[in-house]
Amino acid sequence: DAKTTQPNSMESNEEEPVHLPCNHSTISGTDYIHWYRQLPSQGPEYVIHGLTSNVNNRMASLAIAEDRKSSTLILHRATLRDAAVYYCILRARSGAGSYQLTFGKGTKLSVIP
Amino acid sequence: DTGVSQDPRHKITKRGQNVTFRCDPISEHNRLYWYRQTLGQGPEFLTYFQNEAQLEKSRLLSNRFSAERPKGSFSTLEIQRTEQGDSAMYLCASSLGTRKEETQYFGPGTRLLVL
């Protein structure tokens, strides 16, 4: 999987929107952008993924740059339960590339009450 | 709760002992993965099964580690002659097995401490 770059940490106030950036300048045309998060003392959980268009689900929104070299995970109203490490991961859609997830260090999000 | 369970949740052992962890994936999932996570780092891939076949192993999986998935259902990860450096969280994940980019569902992990 291609490499991603994320800030080590971010802070947000409770009930404010949060924008978590991810740079992936070496992304290939067939790579999906996946986001997982890991709450303290738990396994990672899937958040959202996308290919080219922006995506929304009940947890978050994913905004993908037109050139696909960066993306932003958007939490619309941060809650204390959103405090976690957020991982941005590129996944091969088909062909070359393995099935495992390649995690970086992610962004540790702190939510201030 | 993702539907993936792991047992035990915590294990303390002495250096040199053998330990075995179990993972029960979501029942209809064909793919099963093992990862290891040390403090402050993201999870690192160890090995992957498609049904009962172990198709990929990381270089992290030394010859003291062995994993099985008999009958393509639950999986076990055994570490022989444990070392202090094996102390970590061992995570299991499963996925449906229809697409390469599909979502993985993780269990809560087994935290191993080797004294």
XYZ file of all heavy atoms in Angstrom, chain A residues 4-56:
422
model
N 0.978 7.219 3.435
C 0.179 8.395 3.800
C 0.900 9.179 4.876
O 1.705 8.634 5.631
C -1.203 7.980 4.323
O -1.043 7.193 5.498
C -1.978 7.187 3.278
N 0.599 10.480 4.952
C 1.177 11.355 5.968
C 0.057 12.060 6.702
O -0.816 12.672 6.075
C 2.106 12.400 5.324
O 3.102 11.722 4.541
C 2.814 13.213 6.405
N 0.093 11.962 8.050
C -0.925 12.591 8.883
C -0.247 13.346 10.029
O 0.837 12.949 10.471
C -1.844 11.524 9.514
C -2.594 10.659 8.535
C -3.414 9.606 9.280
O -3.093 8.417 9.266
N -4.480 10.056 9.908
N -0.904 14.390 10.541
C -0.355 15.040 11.738
C -0.390 14.081 12.914
O -1.266 13.221 13.000
C -1.286 16.235 11.968
C -2.498 15.947 11.172
C -2.117 15.050 10.055
N 0.587 14.228 13.823
C 0.648 13.318 14.967
C -0.549 13.485 15.891
O -1.059 12.504 16.441
C 1.928 13.567 15.768
C 3.160 13.106 15.016
O 3.086 12.221 14.178
N 4.288 13.732 15.312
N -0.981 14.720 16.086
C -2.072 14.950 17.035
C -2.868 16.185 16.639
O -2.356 17.072 15.942
C -1.515 15.110 18.454
O -0.671 16.236 18.532
N -4.127 16.196 17.091
C -4.998 17.350 16.901
C -5.916 17.445 18.110
O -6.171 16.433 18.779
C -5.835 17.214 15.620
C -5.033 17.327 14.345
S -6.048 17.271 12.862
C -7.013 18.764 13.030
N -6.413 18.671 18.336
C -7.367 18.891 19.412
C -8.625 19.514 18.848
O -8.578 20.274 17.872
C -6.777 19.858 20.455
C -5.981 19.202 21.531
C -5.587 20.190 22.626
O -5.926 21.393 22.497
O -4.935 19.760 23.582
N -9.740 19.213 19.487
C -10.994 19.833 19.095
C -11.836 20.066 20.330
O -11.759 19.307 21.295
C -11.746 18.926 18.119
O -13.028 19.439 17.862
N -12.653 21.100 20.264
C -13.630 21.299 21.323
C -14.854 20.443 21.048
O -15.230 20.193 19.892
C -14.036 22.773 21.418
C -12.880 23.648 21.869
O -12.133 23.284 22.776
N -12.713 24.793 21.238
N -15.468 20.000 22.128
C -16.674 19.182 21.995
C -17.737 19.952 21.223
O -17.893 21.160 21.375
C -17.181 18.809 23.388
C -18.167 17.684 23.406
C -18.575 17.316 24.826
O -18.210 18.050 25.768
O -19.254 16.299 24.992
N -18.448 19.226 20.373
C -19.537 19.749 19.547
C -19.079 20.671 18.422
O -19.912 21.253 17.734
C -20.607 20.428 20.410
C -21.258 19.468 21.399
C -22.446 20.070 22.097
O -22.844 21.198 21.763
O -22.986 19.399 22.992
N -17.784 20.788 18.213
C -17.250 21.539 17.077
C -16.900 20.573 15.955
O -16.624 19.390 16.202
C -15.977 22.301 17.493
C -16.213 23.396 18.505
C -16.951 24.563 17.892
O -16.632 24.927 16.741
O -17.856 25.103 18.560
N -16.885 21.032 14.691
C -16.443 20.151 13.604
C -14.940 19.937 13.667
O -14.194 20.789 14.146
C -16.846 20.921 12.339
C -16.934 22.345 12.769
C -17.357 22.345 14.206
N -14.505 18.771 13.187
C -13.086 18.430 13.152
C -12.713 18.010 11.739
O -13.433 17.222 11.114
C -12.781 17.238 14.098
C -11.277 16.941 14.093
C -13.271 17.518 15.496
N -11.610 18.537 11.257
C -11.103 18.183 9.934
C -9.733 17.518 10.095
O -8.769 18.168 10.489
C -10.980 19.438 9.060
C -12.291 20.032 8.680
N -12.662 20.274 7.371
C -13.355 20.413 9.422
C -13.881 20.788 7.339
N -14.315 20.890 8.573
N -9.669 16.237 9.796
C -8.429 15.482 9.939
C -7.814 15.293 8.553
O -8.374 14.587 7.716
C -8.716 14.119 10.582
C -9.274 14.185 12.014
C -9.904 12.866 12.403
C -8.183 14.551 12.984
N -6.628 15.877 8.317
C -6.043 15.796 6.965
C -5.182 14.564 6.767
O -4.635 14.000 7.719
C -5.178 17.058 6.917
C -4.741 17.255 8.337
C -5.870 16.749 9.202
N -5.035 14.184 5.504
C -4.151 13.074 5.132
C -3.568 13.383 3.750
O -4.308 13.699 2.818
C -4.935 11.763 5.097
S -3.944 10.330 4.654
N -2.256 13.289 3.648
C -1.595 13.455 2.354
C -1.185 12.105 1.805
O -0.645 11.265 2.536
C -0.362 14.359 2.486
C -0.754 15.803 2.689
O -1.678 16.301 2.062
N -0.079 16.486 3.596
N -1.446 11.893 0.539
C -1.080 10.623 -0.116
C -0.693 10.930 -1.555
O -1.409 10.564 -2.499
C -2.203 9.590 -0.026
C -3.594 10.156 0.023
N -4.261 10.639 -1.081
C -4.432 10.312 1.083
C -5.459 11.044 -0.716
N -5.601 10.878 0.580
N 0.439 11.590 -1.714
C 0.840 12.094 -3.024
C 1.203 10.987 -4.015
O 1.211 11.217 -5.226
C 2.015 13.057 -2.875
O 3.096 12.405 -2.248
N 1.497 9.769 -3.511
C 1.882 8.680 -4.420
C 0.724 7.724 -4.692
O 0.928 6.614 -5.174
C 3.071 7.894 -3.846
O 2.705 7.374 -2.562
C 4.306 8.776 -3.697
N -0.491 8.159 -4.420
C -1.667 7.309 -4.616
C -1.778 6.911 -6.085
O -1.498 7.696 -6.992
C -2.934 8.029 -4.136
C -4.131 7.087 -4.102
C -3.225 9.271 -4.986
C -5.372 7.670 -3.427
N -2.169 5.663 -6.325
C -2.375 5.231 -7.702
C -3.857 5.355 -8.051
O -4.708 5.520 -7.177
C -1.920 3.785 -7.881
O -2.888 2.896 -7.360
N -4.142 5.265 -9.334
C -5.503 5.483 -9.788
C -6.515 4.486 -9.261
O -7.720 4.763 -9.244
N -6.043 3.318 -8.805
C -6.980 2.287 -8.351
C -6.988 2.121 -6.834
O -7.605 1.205 -6.324
C -6.632 0.937 -8.993
O -5.259 0.629 -8.699
C -6.828 0.984 -10.504
N -6.300 3.000 -6.112
C -6.264 2.910 -4.651
C -7.494 3.562 -4.037
O -7.808 4.710 -4.337
C -5.034 3.603 -4.080
C -3.762 2.807 -4.264
O -3.856 1.593 -4.515
O -2.677 3.400 -4.157
N -8.149 2.839 -3.143
C -9.191 3.421 -2.314
C -8.549 4.090 -1.097
O -7.510 3.647 -0.623
C -10.158 2.351 -1.815
C -11.249 2.000 -2.778
C -11.035 1.063 -3.784
C -12.512 2.584 -2.682
C -12.039 0.727 -4.672
C -13.520 2.259 -3.560
C -13.274 1.333 -4.552
O -14.269 1.005 -5.429
N -9.194 5.137 -0.599
C -8.765 5.811 0.630
C -9.684 5.336 1.753
O -10.892 5.539 1.700
C -8.862 7.339 0.494
C -8.005 7.823 -0.682
C -8.428 8.028 1.794
C -8.417 9.173 -1.215
N -9.081 4.670 2.738
C -9.836 4.154 3.878
C -9.444 4.912 5.130
O -8.271 5.245 5.322
C -9.530 2.666 4.096
C -10.246 1.747 3.169
N -11.090 0.746 3.613
C -10.263 1.667 1.827
C -11.583 0.101 2.572
N -11.092 0.627 1.477
N -10.404 5.094 6.037
C -10.125 5.630 7.368
C -10.626 4.639 8.413
O -11.751 4.136 8.322
C -10.809 6.976 7.570
C -10.128 8.106 6.862
C -10.240 8.440 5.546
C -9.246 9.073 7.434
N -9.466 9.548 5.256
C -8.848 9.954 6.410
C -8.734 9.281 8.720
C -7.983 11.031 6.631
C -7.885 10.348 8.940
C -7.513 11.209 7.904
N -9.764 4.360 9.356
C -10.113 3.575 10.530
C -9.794 4.425 11.757
O -8.971 5.323 11.695
C -9.293 2.278 10.598
C -9.745 1.187 9.660
C -9.511 1.280 8.286
C -10.400 0.058 10.144
C -9.925 0.272 7.423
C -10.829 -0.953 9.289
C -10.577 -0.833 7.928
O -10.998 -1.832 7.079
N -10.435 4.108 12.864
C -10.072 4.769 14.108
C -9.946 3.725 15.199
O -10.535 2.640 15.114
C -11.091 5.837 14.492
C -12.416 5.312 14.994
C -13.320 6.456 15.375
N -14.562 5.991 15.976
C -15.531 6.804 16.377
N -15.402 8.129 16.236
N -16.621 6.320 16.922
N -9.170 4.068 16.204
C -8.946 3.148 17.313
C -9.163 3.895 18.617
O -8.362 4.782 18.957
C -7.543 2.549 17.245
C -7.304 1.447 18.255
C -5.988 0.727 18.028
O -5.074 1.264 17.386
N -5.885 -0.489 18.522
N -10.213 3.530 19.311
C -10.480 4.096 20.624
C -9.543 3.439 21.636
O -9.055 2.323 21.404
C -11.940 3.873 21.026
C -12.977 4.852 20.443
C -13.063 4.759 18.924
C -14.333 4.647 21.077
N -9.297 4.091 22.747
C -8.381 3.518 23.747
C -8.785 2.107 24.150
O -9.967 1.838 24.391
C -8.508 4.498 24.923
C -8.920 5.781 24.295
C -9.804 5.409 23.138
N -7.809 1.218 24.172
C -7.989 -0.174 24.622
C -8.969 -0.969 23.761
O -9.570 -1.926 24.241
C -8.463 -0.208 26.088
O -7.504 0.428 26.891
N -9.140 -0.578 22.508
C -9.997 -1.329 21.596
C -9.267 -1.600 20.292
O -8.239 -0.986 20.003
C -11.282 -0.557 21.301
C -12.184 -0.362 22.511
C -13.518 0.241 22.139
O -13.987 0.105 21.008
N -14.143 0.924 23.084
N -9.804 -2.513 19.492
C -9.271 -2.734 18.156
C -9.714 -1.619 17.231
O -10.682 -0.913 17.513
N -9.032 -1.443 16.097
C -9.454 -0.432 15.129
C -10.861 -0.709 14.615
O -11.299 -1.865 14.570
C -8.424 -0.571 13.998
C -7.241 -1.222 14.633
C -7.804 -2.125 15.683
N -11.558 0.370 14.251
C -12.871 0.203 13.634
C -12.934 1.030 12.368
O -12.376 2.133 12.280
C -14.005 0.586 14.591
C -14.089 2.036 14.952
C -15.345 2.386 15.755
O -16.381 1.691 15.634
O -15.275 3.400 16.476
N -13.630 0.498 11.389
C -13.787 1.160 10.101
C -14.609 2.436 10.281
O -15.590 2.469 11.027
C -14.503 0.210 9.139
C -15.016 0.843 7.876
C -14.161 1.112 6.816
C -16.353 1.173 7.747
C -14.642 1.687 5.647
C -16.841 1.748 6.594
C -15.979 1.997 5.555
O -16.463 2.578 4.399
N -14.196 3.494 9.574
C -14.957 4.737 9.619
C -15.618 5.003 8.275
O -16.838 5.145 8.189
C -14.043 5.925 10.013
C -14.828 7.226 9.986
C -13.430 5.705 11.386
N -14.826 5.051 7.218
C -15.359 5.442 5.911
C -14.312 5.126 4.848
O -13.126 4.966 5.181
C -15.706 6.946 5.924
C -16.673 7.332 4.796
C -14.447 7.799 5.885
C -17.298 8.723 4.992
N -14.722 5.012 3.593
C -13.758 4.930 2.511
C -14.332 5.539 1.243
O -15.557 5.664 1.093
C -13.283 3.488 2.271
C -14.249 2.622 1.513
N -15.326 2.014 2.113
C -14.289 2.260 0.217
C -15.980 1.300 1.218
N -15.380 1.434 0.065
N -13.423 5.902 0.317
C -13.852 6.486 -0.934
C -12.792 6.329 -2.002
O -11.634 5.990 -1.704
N -13.188 6.590 -3.239
C -12.257 6.461 -4.361
C -11.969 7.820 -4.990
O -10.833 8.268 -5.020
C -12.823 5.502 -5.412
C -11.916 5.186 -6.592
C -10.650 4.474 -6.135
C -12.658 4.352 -7.633
N -13.004 8.499 -5.479
C -12.811 9.804 -6.109
C -13.790 10.845 -5.573
O -13.411 11.975 -5.306
C -12.995 9.710 -7.637
O -14.281 9.147 -7.898
C -11.920 8.859 -8.275
N -15.029 10.446 -5.394
C -16.052 11.408 -4.955
C -16.097 11.490 -3.443
O -15.719 10.557 -2.748
C -17.423 10.958 -5.462
O -17.405 10.790 -6.852
N -16.588 12.626 -2.959
C -16.798 12.775 -1.519
C -17.855 11.772 -1.053
O -18.757 11.397 -1.807
C -17.230 14.202 -1.205
C -16.131 15.206 -1.527
O -14.974 14.844 -1.705
N -16.503 16.473 -1.592
N -17.709 11.329 0.179
C -18.571 10.287 0.725
C -19.090 10.722 2.089
O -18.367 11.393 2.853
C -17.796 8.960 0.892
C -18.703 7.852 1.375
C -17.101 8.564 -0.399
N -20.312 10.340 2.384
C -20.887 10.602 3.698
C -21.448 9.313 4.262
O -22.009 8.494 3.530
C -22.043 11.610 3.596
C -21.576 12.941 3.048
O -20.786 13.633 3.651
N -22.063 13.285 1.866
